[in-house]
Amino acid sequence: MYDQTRPERSIAAAMTYDQLLERIRYEGAYPTRERAEKAVRTVLGALGRQITGEERGDLAGRLPVEAALTLTAQIPDTQQLTGWGFIKDLAARTGATPATTRWDTGAVLAPISALAGPDLLARILRRLPDGYALLFGQPQLLRPQPATA
C-alpha cells in the first residue's frame, strides 16, 4: 500500500554529480565535461551568494554533494541582486559576456530547478528579487504592485 503522508523522495538521491554534469553539458551544448563543470561551479557559486535561509539548506539537500558544497561554500551577499543584476555581476566576475553568462546560467539552473522540485523552487523564487524565474526556466510572473493614489 502506498503511504501518501510519506515525504516525497528526493530526486537528488537518484542523480549523481556525473549525471548532473552530463545533463548540464547537454542543456548547454558544451563540448566537454570540463566546460560544463566550470559552468556549474561559477553559476552555483554565484547563486550561493544570493540564496539565504531555509531555502538554501533545502536546495543543498536536493543536490549531489559536490554541487551542494559549491552552493553552500559561498557567504551570502548582504544585498540581493535582481535576475539581470545577477547576470551582470557574474559576467563581471568571470570576464564573460552577459550573453554567455545568461546561457551558462540557464544551462545550469534548468536541471537544478528539476532537482529542487516545484514547491522548493516556488519558495526560492518568492525570496529572490524579480528576474530569477526566467533564469530557472520558469515563467516570470509579475508581483502585485501597490496602487498609487
Side-chain angles (χ1 to χ4, degrees), residues 50-78:
Q50 297 300 308
I51 296 179
T52 59
E54 190 176 305
E55 290 77 16
R56 178 182 170 104
D58 290 349
L59 179 58
R62 296 195 184 181
L63 299 177
V65 173
E66 300 88 340
L69 291 173
T70 300
L71 177 79
T72 58
Q74 302 302 312
I75 298 171
D77 286 341
T78 56

Side-chain angles (χ1 to χ4, degrees), residues 10-63:
S10 172
I11 23 182
M15 183 176 279
T16 67
Y17 186 63
D18 287 336
Q19 290 169 328
L20 176 63
L21 288 179
E22 281 306 309
R23 179 138 180 229
I24 290 168
R25 182 178 175 193
Y26 176 80
E27 292 280 339
Y30 299 123
T32 65
R33 180 184 189 277
E34 290 74 24
R35 178 63 184 91
E37 190 165 23
K38 179 181 177 190
V40 169
R41 284 192 314 270
T42 57
V43 172
L44 284 183
L47 186 64
R49 291 189 293 273
Q50 297 300 308
I51 296 179
T52 59
E54 190 176 305
E55 290 77 16
R56 178 182 170 104
D58 290 349
L59 179 58
R62 296 195 184 181
L63 299 177

Side-chain angles (χ1 to χ4, degrees), residues 38 42-43 87-97 100-101 104:
K38 179 181 177 190
T42 57
V43 172
I87 296 296
K88 290 191 312 185
D89 180 66
L90 188 53
R93 289 175 187 262
T94 62
T97 66
T100 300
T101 303
D104 290 347

